[in-house]
Structure formats: structure tokens, C-alpha cells
Amino acid sequence: MRNFISYKKSIEILNNIQLTKQTTQKLFITQALGKILAKDVIANHNSPEFPTSAMDGYAIRYEDLKSEFLEIIAKNPAGYVVESEVSLNKCIKTFTGSLMPKGSDTLIPIENVEVIENKIKIKKEVPFAFAVREMGENYKKDEVLIKKGTKIGFAEIGVLASLNISMIDVIVNPIIAVASTGSEVLDLGEIQTNDSQIRSSNHLTLEVLFKSNGAEVLQMGVVKDDIDSIANLFETALQKADIVVTTGGVSVGDYDFVQDVIKDKLKAEILFHGVSIKPGMHILVALKNEKIIVALPGFAYSSTVCAILYVLPLIYKFRNSNESLPIIKAKITQDFPKKTDKTVFTACNVKYLDGEYVIDFEGKKEGTSAILTNMLESPALLIQDEDSKDLKSGDLVDILLLNQLK
């Protein structure tokens, strides 16, 4: 009789897996989009390096603000260093992005003055240092601007360019081999020869799920239910991949050979086989030569949920990133009883209304763990811990936002 561990215990085991040091590569910054930064990015200068104008206007001394007229003695375009200095009752016309001229400490916007020949008359006063970007306003020298483990997006690339950094070190993404198993399973394009055969979606669903969350995927396709074929799959995949993910063959049926191959032929170290969760209770996770094997159930909804719960955190771990599953609080809009003592993940609809997330189950089908269509539209997973109680309408609950994983 197999012992089923709690969901919390299974995640603890997953988190304790020790990985070898991540491999890094150097990429041009625009090619690093979506990659994980391997080293802190530290500013090598102040930005701006000198006080700079934030608007078009006139650079003045604040103490001259109440003077009747200020003489315009020069223009100060962006990209140039004006030689003239601001002194008593003098001003310099200055443009956005220009260095503030020597002697000035405040900028009067163009719309606040009246120009009379070569002089200005101030119509509306401003505070001291108005529209002046102080040295280091954006960032200061030696400041850590982007921490290692950050997923690189457009803002990070912009900051890197402002630092004149063209090449950066990033973590090499993990390689995941994906396969569906089952003699009843047909790949795309295969001809159905009897009514018991079904079309596989698992290997393709998981391929795009893993790719969209930062992994390279080695697609192994559909493998028939015999020990030699499954053993060959694992031997090939383990040579090339960091993680091997299969669907099907981990339950207690006569033809569930995946677990037999992992345990008996591969002699892998079984971390756990069986978790008290719904769906996916027969999930198996093992180690073989520092490679991770994740054998998922065959039903489409079950395998997808388990891939999210177990494989995505492994991807984040391999990437040494600051990523995590998007679990948030939401308000449930109907009573919802707890039907089992397992930890349950139930498909629901989520909306953001009046400043909060709300969930309902309109259109969601009840049945087996095969109903992948429950993940369409604006889906989330309601999370009910094994010791949670019946939910009442208006309760705050934990949900996992699925649209953020696409």
C-alpha cells in the first residue's frame, strides 16, 4: 500500500533538491529578453551626473525670483555646455535635458514668463530648485540597480543601455524533455483505428507551458505502453535534458509501466510517489544522475495542473530566478463545500471588479480530471488546503492565476 504525502511536504521535498551550479552565457542585451540575470548590475556613474533641466524654460537664481525683469544672456540647447553663467538679474534660456548653467539653481517654465525683447518678466513664481533634476536623481554611483535573479524585460534593457552595457551574463535556461505515454494515445496526424484511441494533447500543452515559463523543450512525442519503449525514452531524454516530464503510466493499472521503468530499470531515487492532492494524486518525482524526473498522471487537466504546481517551480529553481507561482487572494461569490480531505485545485473564473479579484464557477464542468476546457477563458485555480473548511460566499480564498502563466 503506497503512502501518500501531503502537498506541503511534497513542495518541501521539491525545494530541497540540490542543483549543480547554473551555467551562464553572455548575450547582447536585446537578445536577453526573458532571460534571468546572473550577476547584479551596479551603476558605474551618477544619473544625471550634473544638475539637469526637466523642462523648457529659463535658468535663474532663486533669489532673483522677485526681480522685475531678468535679462536673457544666452541659449542652452540639450547636448551642449553653455559657457555663460547666471548672475544677478540674468537668466539663460534652457531646454529639457540641458545641463543647468553655472550659477543657476531654479528653472522657470516658459509658460510662467512674459518675454519682452531680451528680458523676461516672471508672471508665476515657482519653488526653489523647481524642474531641476539633481545629480543622481535616477540612480547613484555604486547603487545596485538590477539584482541577479531578475527576469529581464524592457525596463531592464533600457537601464542597461543607459549604463552603456551591451553584453550581460544570463542563466542558461533548463532543458525539459516532454513525452506522453499510452498505447491508446494518438499524436497529431495519426489515423484512429479503433474507438478506444484518444488524441494526445498533453505533450503539446506542456511544451508551450514550459516554454512560456522560461525552459527549452525537447519534444519526445507519444510513446507506446511497453517497457522497452519507455526505457528507451528515458535513456535518450536523460542524456540531453535537465528535467524529464512524462504523462501517463504512474497509477496502479496493469499497463502503468512508467513507474516500473523509473524504479526498476533506471534505479532512480524516488523522492515521492503519491501526494494527497486532487487532481494528480499519483504524481511521481525522482532523481537520476542529478537529473529530475517528473511523471505526471495521464488525464489532461490533471497533468496540466501538476505541471504548474511541480515543474514550473523547478524551472524557476534552475533559472535561479525571483519568479514564483502567481497566488493571490480573491473573494468567492458562492458557497463551496470541501468535498475531500486532500488539497484541492479547482478550476474557476476570475475577474477584477471594484478593486478586488472575485471568482465564480459559471460554465465550469464537474467530472473527471480530463476536462482541460475548464482552463479556457479567464481561468484560475481555487486552492483548498487539506485542512480547510467549507467556503461561504464572500470568503477570501487563495487562487492561482493561470493567465499569468501563458
Side-chain angles (χ1 to χ4, degrees), residues 20-39:
T20 55
K21 186 177 180 181
Q22 284 85 5
T23 305
T24 63
Q25 64 181 150
K26 195 174 288 289
L27 293 177
F28 185 70
I29 54 176
T30 56
Q31 295 176 328
L33 183 68
K35 304 286 188 181
I36 300 300
L37 191 66
K39 299 176 182 176

Side-chain angles (χ1 to χ4, degrees), residues 259-289:
Q259 58 182 326
D260 297 332
V261 170
I262 294 171
K263 294 174 181 178
D264 300 331
K265 279 196 169 291
L266 296 181
K267 305 294 185 185
E269 177 191 353
I270 307 299
L271 299 184
F272 55 84
H273 185 191
V275 180
S276 184
I277 57 174
K278 182 179 173 62
M281 62 185 293
H282 295 293
I283 182 173
L284 184 157
V285 176
L287 293 178
K288 177 65 176 179
N289 298 332

Side-chain angles (χ1 to χ4, degrees), residues 61-356:
R61 303 187 315 163
Y62 180 73
E63 59 195 271
D64 292 338
L65 196 65
K66 296 186 182 298
S67 298
E68 185 175 2
F69 292 100
L70 299 179
E71 181 185 357
I72 305 169
I73 60 171
K75 288 186 177 181
N76 181 23
Y80 294 86
V81 178
V82 69
E83 294 183 2
S84 302
E85 296 186 22
V86 173
S87 57
L88 178 66
N89 292 332
K90 309 291 184 184
C91 69
I92 294 177
K93 190 171 187 180
T94 297
F95 299 87
T96 304
S98 300
L99 299 183
M100 290 294 289
K102 291 181 180 178
S104 67
D105 55 25
T106 301
L107 191 97
I108 294 286
I110 286 176
E111 56 269 26
N112 287 28
V113 306
E114 179 183 354
V115 180
I116 304 172
E117 295 181 349
N118 68 330
K119 295 180 180 180
I120 63 168
K121 180 178 179 62
I122 296 172
K123 299 186 297 181
K124 184 177 180 181
E125 296 184 5
V126 294
F128 175 76
F130 181 80
V132 177
R133 297 186 63 214
E134 291 299 323
M135 182 178 72
E137 176 197 68
N138 192 12
Y139 50 77
K140 293 181 170 57
K141 188 176 184 297
D142 298 326
E143 182 181 347
V144 176
L145 299 183
I146 312 174
K147 294 180 180 179
K148 65 180 181 180
T150 299
K151 185 177 180 181
I152 298 168
F154 65 87
E156 287 75 20
I157 290 171
V159 170
L160 290 164
S162 73
L163 292 167
N164 197 31
I165 295 174
S166 60
M167 305 290 291
I168 53 168
D169 290 313
V170 298
I171 303 290
V172 174
N173 286 333
I175 299 173
I176 302 181
V178 177
S180 295
T181 70
S183 295
E184 79 284 10
V185 175
L186 299 177
D187 205 345
L188 289 181
E190 281 192 85
I191 303 299
Q192 186 175 11
T193 58
N194 65 67
D195 292 340
S196 71
Q197 294 173 324
I198 59 173
R199 190 69 58 187
S200 175
S201 63
N202 291 349
H203 60 302
L204 301 175
T205 303
L206 299 189
E207 177 181 346
V208 294
L209 174 66
F210 299 155
K211 281 181 176 177
S212 63
N213 283 272
E216 307 294 331
V217 174
L218 179 63
Q219 180 57 256
M220 307 295 286
V222 175
V223 179
K224 299 306 179 186
D225 264 334
D226 66 76
I227 289 179
D228 289 340
S229 297
I230 293 171
N232 182 63
L233 159 71
F234 278 110
E235 289 167 4
T236 303
L238 287 168
Q239 291 176 9
K240 301 177 180 179
D242 302 296
I243 306 171
V244 180
V245 178
T246 61
T247 67
V250 290
S251 189
V252 292
D254 291 347
Y255 298 96
D256 287 325
F257 294 132
V258 169
Q259 58 182 326
D260 297 332
V261 170
I262 294 171
K263 294 174 181 178
D264 300 331
K265 279 196 169 291
L266 296 181
K267 305 294 185 185
E269 177 191 353
I270 307 299
L271 299 184
F272 55 84
H273 185 191
V275 180
S276 184
I277 57 174
K278 182 179 173 62
M281 62 185 293
H282 295 293
I283 182 173
L284 184 157
V285 176
L287 293 178
K288 177 65 176 179
N289 298 332
E290 298 185 340
K291 305 293 182 75
I292 303 173
I293 298 170
V294 182
L296 303 174
F299 276 154
Y301 176 75
S302 180
S303 65
T304 305
V305 169
C306 287
I308 291 168
L309 298 177
Y310 291 96
V311 184
L312 296 195
L314 284 174
I315 294 173
Y316 306 154
K317 189 180 183 75
F318 265 92
R319 280 154 64 88
N320 197 27
S321 70
N322 300 325
E323 300 163 286
S324 60
L325 294 177
I327 296 174
I328 62 166
K329 294 290 185 183
K331 182 182 288 185
I332 192 168
T333 57
Q334 65 187 70
D335 293 348
F336 196 81
K338 182 74 183 301
K339 300 174 182 177
T340 175
D341 58 0
K342 300 181 177 73
T343 298
V344 183
F345 300 87
T346 306
C348 59
N349 307 303
V350 60
K351 297 176 183 176
Y352 191 72
L353 299 173
D354 299 324
E356 64 180 353

